Amino acid sequence: MRCPGACATVTAMGGRNTTTRRHTAPKLPLERVHVEVTSRCNFACEFCPNPVLQRRHGSMEWPMLQEILGEIAAAKVTGNVVFHQQGEPLLYPHLHEGVAAATRLGLASFVTSNGALLSDAVVDRLLESGLTELNVSLQTPDEASFAIRGAHGLDYAAFEARVVNAVQRVLRAPSATRVRVELLTKPLPRLTLPNVGKDWKIVERNHELHAMLEKWAHRWVGDLEDAPSPKSITRAVRRTGVLHRNELRLHPRLVIETRPVGEWSMPEMTGDRKWHDARWGTCHGISEHIAILWDGSYTFCCADHNGRTSTASFRELSILDYLDSGPVQEALSSLQRMRPSHPYCRACLGGPHPVMPVVKAIGSIFFFKVLKKLRRVSRAS
C-alpha cells in the first residue's frame, strides 16, 4: 500500500534515504532486524543448516556494521537488533564494539551464542557494552544429545560448566542484562522429523523435560539471593510440555525457552529428495523482521540461510528503499494473501512429500495467526 502524499521528505544520511516511505507496509518499527556479523561457527550442529551452507562464509566489515546500526536508528526501522543470522557472533572481533554502538544509539541488542566461548572476560565485556539480552543456544543439555553439536575439541563437561558459569555471572552482575536459554524438544518425531534426526537423543516426553528443567533451574538460580523457592520452581516446571513452546521465567532476568525441533525451514538439507513447493501459507518474514547478511545482502527473513531471497544489498540501497522495493512489496503482499510468490518462500513452506505443503500451509496460518499469541509462560515466584 502506498503512502499518502504527506509522507516525510528525504533526509539524507550520507546521501541515503532515512525518512521517506512510498508504502505503508511493512509497518515500522519492525519487531527486530537480524544483523549477521559472521557466518562462521565453531560448532557443526546436525539440526542447523550452517554446516551445509551453500554461500560463502565471511565476517562483516566493521565500518559497514557501524553504518547499518546508524541507519537503523536514524530511520527508526526497529528498536531491536539481533546480532545473529548464521554463525557464532562471539567469533566476530568487533562484537563488543557493535553492542556498545547499538547501546549509544538507543537500540536494544541481542546476542545469540552456542555458549562455548562465554569466558568470564567475554561475559564482562558484553555487560560493559550494555547488552540487552544474551541468548544461550544450549539446545542439547546432556552428554548424549551434545554428541550432535559437532563441537570439535570440547567435551560436554567443559561446555556445561562454561554455560552454567556464564549465566550465573550475568545474573550476579549489577546490570540489567537478561539471559534467555534455549532448549529443544523432540515430540512426535515421525511427524515433526520424518526425514532427519532419527538418532538425535533429544527430550521427547514431558517427564524427561520436567527432570531436565528442574536440574538446570536449580543450577542457575539455586543460590541466588532472590531465587524462587524449590516448590515454586517445581510448580512452574510442571506446567511445561514438549508439544508446544514454553517460557519458564525463573528470575526477573532469566528465561528458559523450550521449543520443538523440526524441519520447518531447512530446504537446503534435503539432499537428493524431490521437493514439493507450497502454493499457499503465510509467514512473518518482512512484516516483523528482515535480515542483513555479513556481506550486506538483505534477506526477507531469519530462516533464509543461503540468501535465496536477496534482491539488493545495503551497499547500494538504504533499508527504507529496500523495504519499498518491488520484490519486497510483492513478496510481502503475497504472504499477506497467504499465496507465497517467491520461490524460496514456497520451498520453505513445502516438503519432500506432497502432503507436507498442505500440512505446513495450515500449520503456518495456525502458528503465525493463533499459536504465536498463545505461547505458554510459566513463572517461578
Side-chain angles (χ1 to χ4, degrees):
M1 183 182 297
R2 287 190 174 276
C3 281
C7 276
T9 57
V10 173
T11 296
M13 177 182 171
R16 294 170 68 91
N17 172 25
T18 59
T19 60
T20 297
R21 292 294 308 279
R22 301 191 311 275
H23 299 273
T24 57
K27 183 179 179 181
L28 298 185
L30 298 178
E31 180 182 289
R32 64 191 187 277
V33 171
H34 290 259
V35 180
E36 181 186 77
V37 291
T38 183
S39 64
R40 299 185 175 100
C41 191
N42 54 331
F43 276 21
C45 302
E46 293 181 23
F47 53 81
C48 178
N50 192 272
V52 293
L53 213 60
Q54 295 170 0
R55 58 183 168 93
R56 186 165 57 96
H57 283 285
S59 297
M60 184 173 286
E61 299 168 357
W62 169 234
M64 180 186 286
L65 178 56
Q66 291 176 292
E67 293 173 12
I68 289 172
L69 295 174
E71 190 167 307
I72 287 173
K76 297 180 173 57
V77 177
T78 186
N80 303 308
V81 175
V82 180
F83 289 91
H84 180 257
Q85 160 69 330
Q86 282 291 303
E88 169 53 56
L90 295 184
L91 292 174
Y92 183 60
H94 301 289
L95 179 63
H96 306 91
E97 298 166 84
V99 171
T103 301
R104 288 193 298 271
L105 291 165
L107 300 171
S109 54
F110 300 77
V111 168
T112 298
S113 170
N114 57 40
L117 301 176
L118 285 172
S119 65
D120 288 353
V122 168
V123 170
D124 290 347
R125 288 190 68 188
L126 288 172
L127 294 175
E128 292 165 3
S129 301
L131 180 67
T132 303
E133 184 171 286
L134 174 64
N135 296 320
V136 182
S137 185
L138 178 59
Q139 310 299 14
T140 51
D142 54 47
E143 191 163 4
S145 59
F146 186 69
I148 68 174
R149 301 301 293 274
H152 307 296
L154 179 66
D155 62 49
Y156 175 72
F159 171 72
E160 180 180 300
R162 176 151 290 190
V163 170
V164 170
N165 179 72
V167 172
Q168 290 181 337
R169 194 171 186 86
V170 173
L171 297 180
R172 291 194 177 101
S175 76
T177 302
R178 305 187 300 267
V179 182
R180 178 177 293 267
V181 181
E182 299 170 347
L183 297 165
L184 293 174
T185 60
K186 184 184 164 185
L188 308 175
R190 291 186 179 180
L191 176 64
T192 58
L193 294 167
N195 303 290
V196 297
K198 292 179 175 59
D199 299 325
W200 297 352
K201 299 185 183 302
I202 299 175
V203 167
E204 295 185 25
R205 296 174 177 83
N206 284 346
H207 73 272
E208 298 171 338
L209 175 64
H210 296 162
M212 176 188 71
L213 289 176
E214 285 223 40
K215 168 196 167 184
W216 283 93
H218 289 295
R219 293 201 65 183
W220 280 320
V221 302
D223 58 350
L224 294 177
E225 290 184 2
D226 51 353
S229 69
K231 286 186 178 180
S232 65
I233 290 176
T234 298
R235 285 196 298 269
V237 165
R238 290 293 182 263
R239 291 194 289 268
T240 64
V242 296
L243 287 174
H244 51 80
R245 193 171 181 175
N246 304 278
E247 285 190 355
L248 178 61
R249 297 189 178 275
L250 295 172
H251 183 274
R253 294 194 289 128
L254 174 63
V255 171
I256 302 179
E257 178 181 313
T258 73
R259 62 177 177 83
V261 68
E263 294 184 49
W264 182 266
S265 56
M266 296 191 283
E268 283 92 349
M269 300 177 71
T270 60
D272 297 326
R273 290 172 292 166
K274 178 178 174 57
W275 198 258
H276 300 268
D277 290 347
R279 295 184 179 181
W280 55 287
T282 191
C283 176
H284 60 175
I286 306 176
S287 63
E288 290 188 5
H289 70 274
I290 59 169
I292 305 176
L293 305 184
W294 69 265
D295 62 355
S297 300
Y298 292 111
T299 65
F300 293 170
C301 75
C302 61
D304 181 6
H305 315 296
N306 278 313
R308 305 299 192 202
T309 63
S310 180
T311 58
S313 169
F314 178 82
R315 298 177 187 274
E316 59 198 30
L317 207 60
S318 73
I319 301 174
L320 294 187
D321 288 338
Y322 166 71
L323 293 175
D324 281 342
S325 64
V328 173
Q329 288 294 311
E330 164 57 28
L332 177 59
S333 176
S334 71
L335 290 171
Q336 291 173 335
R337 299 191 309 269
M338 293 182 285
R339 299 281 293 184
S341 62
H342 193 280
Y344 186 82
C345 299
R346 293 199 298 266
C348 186
L349 288 164
H353 188 279
V355 175
M356 289 190 71
V358 178
V359 173
K360 278 190 172 183
I362 297 171
S364 70
I365 296 169
F366 179 68
F367 179 82
F368 291 116
K369 302 296 185 182
V370 181
L371 193 60
K372 195 177 177 197
K373 300 177 182 178
L374 298 177
R375 180 184 302 182
R376 185 171 297 183
V377 178
S378 298
R379 300 177 187 274
S381 57

